[in-house]
Amino acid sequence: MNKYELPQDSQLRHKDFVFGVATSSYQIEGGVAEGGRTPSIWDTFCQKPGKVDDGDNGDVACDHYHLWQQDIEMISDLGVDAYRLSIAWPRILPEDGVVNPQGLAFYEQIIDACHARGMTVYVTLYHWDLPQYLEDKGGWLNRETAYKFAEYADVVSRHFGDKIDVYTTLNEPFVAAFLGYRWGIHAPGVVGEREGFLASHHLMLGHGLAMPVLRKNAPNAKHGVVFSASPAYPLEDKDIGAANYSDADNYQWFIDPVLKGEYPALITEHQAMHMPMILEGDLEIISAPVDYIGINYYTRNVVRYDEHGEIKIVPQPENEHTYIGWEMYPQGLTDLLVRLNERYDNMPPIYVTENGAATDDTCVDGQVNDEQRIRYFQTHLEAIDQAIRAGVRIDGYFAWSLMDNFEWAFGYRQRFGLVYVDYQTQERTLKQSAIAYKNMLLERAEENK
């Protein structure tokens, strides 16, 4: 397949549907001690033995800090409408209250280069790289960090204003709070139920505090927030309760306060002893109107109750899985988008802000034949089309990721990129999936002339 086949009469073929690629700062930039940047919690976490596969770190990553010009050219050559990136908080505010002009200038040249090539720019303010100096004061367990986030959002949006086309406050607060402060799998590596829920509330409070600041400083830009979601399916009818609870814990806990102004009762009742202190007015702040919701989808969860009444994820060995063991289940994306649309009366437009697969990629004679990823993208684009036909408003799709990069606790073992990166030489090679994406976008552009 040398291009993705978009269904006939599909909204995906329309010129207003946004196609893009996505990255995040710590995963690609490197240059961790350059340009005035100070350490983030991920720099610290990577130094702890056994926390990251192979002892990997983001010190160099894809060296985007130095190679950004060729990378933006590469993105432009794909023919995408938009580039989704994140800004590194410790590059902008290397010390509490100290603004770093070099950091702002670094991102300004990237934004300008994107605009010069006709691409819109989607910027995430927080993709998990909290400054270490804030973690030293408690990080997201400290309510003050929510206010520090709003100050950081103010610095960025006052500088860039509407030059940033679309702002995202947080990327995947589920991962930042629960993997970082509940289960200890990600930085900063804290373990505790109460800590996980406390961090999550402060993250969502930070989002809410930032929204009016962003609107004031960038009145013509769009503003929203991005959530990860792995929809749950009961193994048997007796496990429906397990699936409902899994959905509440996995994504409704984060989306409900934004779109409903409340946390889901399933969680607040079951986890009553671990609930954070929610001050009067917090939920009003968090539920500030948003222009869009981003949804990151990779796979689903099939769940059941075990003999102790605990919820367990049940592997589905009869179905196809990616190289890292994630089930390929495009129907889950359709189901998720429809479920969300039904759950929230005030659902704003949705972007699928991340979607992709890690496959077993090798570069042979300058070619990477990633056939499974091609099928993954094809079937998930079809799944989005089905959701649109079912009445869900979806305005765009971003492939994760532009290129292979630092995949957090998995280091460099997992390759999610459309573009293959040789980490020794930093050479970039378009995989067959990237060529198919480019060809599809070229064909769509011809149609819309």
Side-chain angles (χ1 to χ4, degrees), residues 117-145:
R117 289 160 178 78
M119 294 186 286
T120 53
V121 178
Y122 290 59
V123 164
T124 301
L125 293 174
Y126 187 66
H127 201 129
W128 316 343
D129 42 3
L130 184 71
Q132 182 61 41
Y133 63 78
L134 289 177
E135 183 59 35
D136 292 341
K137 296 180 177 179
W140 290 110
L141 300 179
N142 183 349
R143 185 180 171 94
E144 187 187 4
T145 301

Side-chain angles (χ1 to χ4, degrees), residues 120-386:
T120 53
V121 178
Y122 290 59
V123 164
T124 301
L125 293 174
Y126 187 66
H127 201 129
W128 316 343
D129 42 3
L130 184 71
Q132 182 61 41
Y133 63 78
L134 289 177
E135 183 59 35
D136 292 341
K137 296 180 177 179
W140 290 110
L141 300 179
N142 183 349
R143 185 180 171 94
E144 187 187 4
T145 301
Y147 293 86
K148 293 296 181 184
F149 176 72
E151 290 174 15
Y152 158 58
D154 185 43
V155 169
V156 173
S157 56
R158 259 190 298 123
H159 181 83
F160 291 108
D162 294 325
K163 182 179 272 197
I164 292 173
D165 302 287
V166 181
Y167 286 83
T168 296
T169 52
L170 312 173
N171 179 76
E172 299 186 351
F174 167 88
V175 176
F178 286 1
L179 272 65
Y181 291 88
R182 186 179 178 187
W183 302 317
I185 301 164
H186 277 196
V190 175
V191 179
E193 289 293 294
R194 183 181 174 277
E195 287 80 1
F197 287 107
L198 183 62
S200 69
H201 180 62
H202 291 157
L203 276 154
M204 298 319 301
L205 180 63
H207 155 78
L209 290 167
M211 285 301 291
V213 172
L214 295 173
R215 290 202 185 283
K216 175 173 173 284
N217 292 338
N220 298 310
K222 290 180 184 172
H223 306 283
V225 56
V226 167
F227 303 101
S228 54
S230 298
Y233 295 77
L235 183 64
E236 300 176 33
D237 285 349
K238 66 181 181 183
D239 300 311
I240 288 172
N244 289 340
Y245 188 88
S246 180
D247 280 346
D249 198 51
N250 182 267
Y251 59 90
Q252 291 164 6
W253 173 258
F254 297 91
I255 304 179
D256 278 14
V258 175
L259 295 184
K260 288 186 158 194
E262 62 188 26
Y263 285 111
L266 266 178
I267 306 295
T268 56
E269 291 165 10
H270 183 77
Q271 293 275 8
M273 63 188 293
H274 298 127
M275 285 296 99
M277 182 182 288
I278 299 170
L279 301 186
E280 188 175 347
D282 280 4
L283 287 162
E284 285 78 6
I285 291 169
I286 296 170
S287 60
V290 291
D291 299 321
Y292 72 92
I293 290 289
I295 294 294
N296 297 349
Y297 173 86
Y298 292 94
T299 189
R300 66 162 177 173
N301 294 324
V302 177
V303 297
R304 67 171 177 88
Y305 289 117
D306 69 9
E307 60 273 18
H308 306 294
E310 298 292 319
I311 297 170
K312 300 294 181 188
I313 295 175
V314 185
Q316 301 296 299
E318 70 279 7
N319 292 343
E320 184 177 1
H321 290 69
T322 65
Y323 175 62
I324 59 172
W326 292 5
E327 183 187 0
M328 278 179 60
Y329 195 74
Q331 183 63 41
L333 180 52
T334 304
D335 294 344
L336 170 67
L337 294 166
V338 171
R339 283 185 202 181
L340 290 169
N341 204 45
E342 290 172 349
R343 181 174 178 84
Y344 304 104
D345 298 334
N346 58 337
M347 174 56 79
I350 295 172
Y351 291 98
V352 176
T353 33
E354 287 181 27
N355 180 238
T359 62
D360 189 12
D361 300 330
T362 52
C363 188
V364 180
D365 297 329
Q367 290 202 328
V368 183
N369 183 17
D370 54 340
E371 180 268 339
Q372 187 184 50
R373 182 177 290 105
I374 289 175
R375 283 188 292 107
Y376 184 98
F377 282 134
Q378 177 66 44
T379 54
H380 285 75
L381 289 169
E382 291 167 0
I384 292 169
D385 179 65
Q386 289 171 15

